[in-house]
Amino acid sequence: MSELFKEDRNKFSYAFKQQIMKAWQPVPTINSSLLLFSTLSVIFLSLGIALIVLSNQIVEVSVRYDSQCGRVFYGNNYLEMINSPNNKCTVEFQVPSKLKAPVYVYYELDNFYQNHRKYVKSKNINQLQGEDVSVSQLSDCAPIIYYSDLRKYRAIQQTSNTDGFKDTDIANPCGLIAASYFNDTYVLKTNNGSQTKEISNQDIAWPSDKKENLINQKLNNGQMLKMVYINILL
């Protein structure tokens, strides 16, 4: 064989390629197996006890208020409740133990399928990032493409130009996700109403969404899109 094709058998590359590297193949015994499983049992048992103790320290209070504040129906009752500025109610509940900061407030919706394929794809990424897009690029936003669709979906009885937009203007942002804006607000007070607990909405979004994916556009009339859109929805 030519010297060019010879390979030093003492080199690591030769042993690696030929799969003749030295290996350690331990043979478990009764004592080693007992020691291994006993050690793992102690470790995981300690972690389990710690997690149970921390979990028991969490205080969770769930309050359903639709039965006390009135259910929302479609039709005239639905329109009346949505458009009424005095649609407020007071719900009393008791906290079983003292809550330590921070205290998180969540809302829960029933029969709301946010993972449905049609709902998830009903948006336009370029528009959300602050770009001007044409109607031909908004096919995924259906059925919410124009402001007339937005008003109809939100059951808002408004005519054109009352909010500064025409029915033929492009909804910005468009799509079902943007249109299904949850606008219930909460105020927490003590039992005698003398002290109000402020609920902060800071740092509840991913930094990437705030800086890149969701851009608050400035419109031609100088208004910020966020404020205009909130006025339409509320």
Side-chain angles (χ1 to χ4, degrees):
M1 182 180 295
S2 174
E3 295 294 334
L4 296 175
F5 295 97
K6 288 184 179 180
E7 189 172 5
D8 189 356
R9 297 193 177 189
N10 294 325
K11 290 184 177 180
F12 172 80
S13 59
Y14 178 82
F16 180 77
K17 294 177 181 178
Q18 299 300 322
Q19 299 183 7
I20 56 175
M21 297 178 61
K22 295 181 180 180
W24 178 53
Q25 297 178 345
V27 179
T29 61
I30 295 178
N31 293 333
S32 62
S33 299
L34 288 175
L35 178 61
L36 175 63
F37 285 111
S38 299
T39 303
L40 293 177
S41 299
V42 171
I43 294 175
F44 288 112
L45 182 61
S46 302
L47 290 175
I49 294 175
L51 291 176
I52 291 176
V53 172
L54 293 176
S55 178
N56 291 334
Q57 293 177 354
I58 298 176
V59 179
E60 182 178 6
V61 180
S62 179
V63 180
R64 181 164 183 167
Y65 60 88
D66 60 342
S67 58
Q68 302 183 46
C69 300
R71 295 182 179 274
V72 177
F73 297 97
Y74 289 100
N76 294 330
N77 292 335
Y78 175 82
L79 296 176
E80 180 180 354
M81 292 189 68
I82 290 297
N83 293 328
S84 175
N86 298 319
N87 184 25
K88 301 178 182 179
C89 68
T90 301
V91 179
E92 295 184 359
F93 60 93
Q94 294 183 348
V95 180
S97 60
K98 186 177 181 180
L99 300 179
K100 296 181 180 180
V103 177
Y104 298 97
V105 179
Y106 303 90
Y107 64 85
E108 180 180 350
L109 302 177
D110 291 335
N111 298 324
F112 185 76
Y113 304 101
Q114 64 178 11
N115 291 328
H116 193 283
R117 181 179 180 182
K118 185 176 181 180
Y119 180 82
V120 171
K121 66 178 295 188
S122 185
K123 61 184 177 182
N124 186 277
I125 299 298
N126 295 331
Q127 188 189 56
L128 293 175
Q129 292 177 345
E131 300 180 11
D132 291 330
V133 295
S134 61
V135 177
S136 60
Q137 299 174 282
L138 301 179
S139 58
D140 288 340
C141 286
I144 310 297
I145 297 180
Y146 299 98
Y147 273 101
S148 58
D149 303 326
L150 180 61
R151 297 189 184 101
K152 180 180 179 181
Y153 184 82
R154 294 294 301 181
I156 299 176
Q157 293 179 326
Q158 290 180 330
T159 58
S160 299
N161 298 325
T162 56
D163 49 25
F165 294 94
K166 300 178 181 179
D167 287 343
T168 55
D169 289 340
I170 296 177
N172 191 347
C174 65
L176 289 172
I177 297 179
S180 55
Y181 183 85
F182 185 80
N183 57 359
D184 284 7
T185 56
Y186 309 97
V187 177
L188 299 180
K189 295 184 178 182
T190 56
N191 54 358
N192 56 7
S194 60
Q195 187 177 7
T196 301
K197 302 296 183 179
E198 181 181 356
I199 300 178
S200 174
N201 59 359
Q202 300 297 319
D203 299 327
I204 61 175
W206 292 102
S208 58
D209 288 341
K210 296 171 61 177
K211 297 179 180 179
E212 302 174 6
N213 297 332
L214 303 175
I215 306 299
N216 186 17
Q217 299 183 44
K218 189 173 184 179
L219 304 178
N220 295 331
N221 57 7
Q223 290 183 288
M224 298 303 293
L225 175 63
K226 174 184 176 182
M227 299 310 301
V228 174
Y229 195 68
I230 289 179
N231 292 335
I232 294 176
L233 293 181
L234 298 183

